[in-house]
Amino acid sequence: MSIRATILEQITAIARQQNKHLVPLTDQLHLVDSGLDSLCLAILVANLEDELELDPFASGTVAVPVTLGDFIGLYEAATV
Amino acid sequence: MAAAVPTFLGARRQARPVVLNGNFGWLHAEPETAGGDVAILLCPPLSWDALHSHHSLRRLADAFAALGYPTLRFNYPGTGDSQDPTGPDQFYPGQDETGPYASQIEAGGNGDYWSLWQDSLNQAAVWLRETTGARRLVLAGVRIGATLAALVAATRNDVAGLALLAPVLRGKSYIRQLCMEAQLETGISVKPEDGLDLYELRLSPETVQRIGTVDLQTLRFAGAPRVGLHVAIFEQSSSRLVDGCIDAWTRQGVSVCSHSFDPLAPMLQQTIHGDTQLADLSGLLDWVCEIAPAAPPANRPAPVIDKQMLVAADQIETPVCFGDDARLFGILCRPLYQTSDIAVVIGNTGRDPHYGVARFAVEFARHLASQGIASFRIDFAGLGDSIGPAGQEDVLSPLFETDRSADISAAIDVLQAAGFRRVAVHGLCSGAYHAFHAALADPRVEALLLVNFPVFFWQPGDTVEQLVRKQAPPAHYAAKLLQRDFWARLGEREIAFRSILMTQFRRLGEQAKLRCLVVLERLGLIQPVNPARRAMATLQRRGVRTIFLFGPVDPGIAAVEEVFGRGATELDAFGAQMCIIPGVDHHISGRQARLATITRMIDFINDRETVVTDGRPAADIIHHHRAAVAA
């Protein structure tokens, strides 16, 4: 499964688990407007570390991206 | 055959508060049997997970007890109502220097919570066996509580079953989650090697490092092969980590199975909005009944000590069941050195249990005690550890719709019976709303400490979403218009534009009407017409002192400013005041914000002035922060 698909699948699963209403996921979507709160985003990053063995935030210097597209791009770049 | 989930058997018939080695908990057991050969130890999660799962774990404990399993649920050291293993240089001056964990803290140098929590679980297991006569235990843990349960179960030979509910399988991922949460809350990058300060958790770098090294795939069960030990993983989604655990543990002789967590999912969901779907516990109950059937105790149980108290350097805390049929619950916190005859009632925030987000109520109570002031932190009926009305014992009661005045009055009865002549009531968000209305209903209330007060009156049919929408200033929606995806979402009918527009028009219309009435009121031509102004006038006549405390961008400011003008300067005329505390968010999640808020409230109780607003008027601070946020 591609990184993009994994991220989108995780977002959908977390929204369901946390009973959050997701808006349609587009690259331009601001994460804060997605329906996920800070706890959900934190769970997302933790789950992605488990699933992808990637943690682009590990250095502590990377800010959380504003849009979903930037977020996916960050993970895709981390595999290169 | 599926085990029917037993309903609550009657007010306080089967659950009693207990204190074990400085940790607070509840023992759920049928009074007729008192004990059982198999006992259940519930291992709660931390932080938000603990708040969200509190109600489900209470139901689960009741259900186990009704099936013949004595069940203990408790708070780890430094969580919930348990004592704080912190030194004298920490948040509470002088607290716990002689507490049960003093030697461990000293030995660890920094309070290694990870070890303390595992130790406390082992101590709870011993206590549970001695108290109930059980020979075997089933440990059931949620999220990081499941991780702790697994680590402890692996070292014990009396564990027959281990139920892991949405377990954290790798500590590193959990730490990443907490660091990310802290970063999103504060906007400041958080590195695990610096330790973690998030909500009530204050973890040293060593503790963070220890949690980060946990990987349950490498868990070694003592005495393997552990034939006879059953493990059930209730997983949120299938993952290679779950598969790894099943493989590794099966090789050690453990019988492992996996189930979906989906029926239990409401256990971890926020419960603020509307009716709450209850977690379906039947799968878990069935599994336990199958692997470790309930049986009468083989050993004679030791009697439970009736009077349970949490004693620390500054205070004595006593669990109290009160109200009609003792359905309500609270913890009376009395200072060792009482300096005031006033006591503070602390109610629930939202639908969270009485200890509150980031344990704010506990911190407030213990800080009050350090200043010689008593408090009574309570659960309203149907929340936390208080039982709802007959027929609705298992239902989480609504946020605003339920009148809490009777609950607060019952708490005041307890305080007056305990000798306190004067009473203040504190609440945060919806708790502040209920405190305000309790003061209107009960003339014994002398002071109100209202933090992030959301609304003066809740109308039937109102929703939290409507409230948030109404309180958002027009500028909020103007800014939204500039966002690219706003128009796309509008086109896809994701945004109820007409509804937003109508709400804003109504709000502006109401404000204009109110301004006119206030002018007439000031001229002495009319009595206060607005219900909120009438209510404040009533409190003023009764001599109630009121303070509204807000974080700089809290939406509740709009509710007060709408009625009492910009900066709420007109509150002066009603003997009340509004104070803005920099750095405070809606939950008061930051440690410094909690301390500043608590300090301001204690100074208000003591009728002292605190400078926490940079000396500027409230309106200036609000304006400054709004401008900063907009930028």
Side-chain angles (χ1 to χ4, degrees), chain B residues 12 24 42 52 59 72 93 106 118 133 143 161 188 242 259 270 289 293 317 348 361 392 410 514 539 541 550 591 615:
Chain B
R12 301 289 170 221
F24 176 74
L42 298 184
H52 296 165
R59 286 180 54 230
L72 175 67
E106 195 177 347
Q118 290 175 66
R143 298 284 294 139
I188 299 167
V242 173
H259 303 262
Q270 194 178 28
C289 289
E317 296 185 315
N348 300 85
Q392 297 178 51
L514 182 63
L539 295 177
R541 277 197 301 276
F550 287 104
R591 192 171 301 276

Side-chain angles (χ1 to χ4, degrees), chain B residues 176-257:
Chain B
R176 164 54 55 217
Q177 177 191 320
L178 295 183
C179 288
M180 182 57 66
E181 227 182 311
Q183 184 176 332
L184 291 167
E185 285 291 334
T186 63
I188 299 167
S189 178
V190 177
K191 294 181 181 174
E193 54 268 32
D194 296 333
L196 194 60
D197 191 348
L198 176 65
Y199 306 122
E200 69 268 45
L201 300 177
R202 196 174 199 178
L203 307 180
S204 66
E206 292 76 12
T207 296
V208 171
Q209 193 265 337
R210 290 198 61 203
I211 297 173
T213 58
V214 172
D215 184 346
L216 291 187
Q217 294 175 104
T218 63
L219 186 66
R220 301 296 305 168
F221 289 89
R226 284 291 297 274
V227 179
L229 172 61
H230 296 265
V231 178
I233 304 175
F234 292 79
E235 53 183 325
Q236 287 178 305
S237 55
S238 58
S239 77
R240 57 184 181 79
L241 291 178
V242 173
D243 295 340
C245 288
I246 293 174
D247 285 349
W249 300 348
T250 303
R251 281 199 300 273
Q252 297 178 62
V254 178
S255 173
V256 191
C257 61

